[in-house]
Amino acid sequence: ESIEVAWHPVARLDELPLHPGFAHSWPVLRPALGAVEVVVDVANVMGATPDGWWRDRPGAARRLMQRCARLATAGLPAVALPVELGRSALRHAWPRLHLVLEGAARAAVDDLPPELTAAGVEVVAAPGSGDDTIVATAQGLGGAPMVVTADRELRRRALAGGALPR
């Protein structure tokens, strides 16, 4: 049952008399509307799979970037997200991925898979330290992005900079 249906900017919804059912759900739904920003430590993730990445780092980086493009396009189950991102209100999320390349893998920037652009995946070539670039990229996004790495020191730095644990 409705008296009126209209489009309103999200920022104004708190000012409106909402249907009681929607008003009850809104505090859970609101955080889910924000973009899920994910910064990926490509070297670390690439190195987690013994598939010969050490023989061709740019090729391994391209393969990982293609998998990331598919993930960004297909979405991921929201249970993979931290609770802070409103996962209880979502079934799927479409993250904005920021892939940081360092060292020899930076050569992959010269030959990016075309599906990356279509999926909205950003590739960042670290000019020096990959870890410094990952932390700077995460902090530059604002909010609380996820940083994907198994590097304990990088994880500590990212969390200290406001990233969400992952």
Side-chain angles (χ1 to χ4, degrees):
E1 59 189 70
S2 297
I3 297 171
E4 178 185 1
V5 177
W7 289 102
H8 293 281
V10 170
R12 288 204 47 233
L13 288 182
D14 292 331
E15 305 166 11
L16 299 172
L18 303 174
H19 182 281
F22 182 72
H24 178 73
S25 300
W26 181 233
V28 175
L29 293 169
R30 184 178 200 132
L33 295 176
V36 178
E37 304 281 358
V38 180
V39 181
V40 179
D41 179 356
V42 171
N44 191 269
V45 173
M46 218 170 50
T49 305
D51 62 357
W53 61 265
W54 52 90
R55 289 190 297 269
D56 179 16
R57 291 174 192 231
R62 274 188 222 85
R63 289 190 300 276
L64 177 60
M65 288 188 285
Q66 288 170 326
R67 289 194 306 269
C68 288
R70 288 191 296 273
L71 173 72
T73 301
L76 59 103
V79 294
L81 299 174
V83 173
E84 294 89 341
L85 293 175
R87 75 175 182 202
S88 62
L90 297 173
R91 291 193 180 162
H92 277 79
W94 286 265
R96 285 198 292 209
L97 299 175
H98 308 269
L99 310 178
V100 178
L101 301 176
E102 63 180 297
R106 278 192 306 247
V109 171
D110 298 332
D111 185 25
L112 293 176
E115 57 268 28
L116 285 177
T117 304
V121 176
E122 177 191 25
V123 178
V124 179
S129 162
D131 289 3
D132 290 348
T133 302
I134 289 164
V135 171
T137 300
Q139 289 175 337
L141 294 171
M146 292 172 42
V147 174
V148 178
T149 186
D151 180 322
R152 288 184 184 160
E153 176 59 18
L154 175 56
R155 178 182 164 90
R156 185 198 62 73
R157 287 179 62 196
L159 289 172
L164 292 172
R166 198 22 110 225

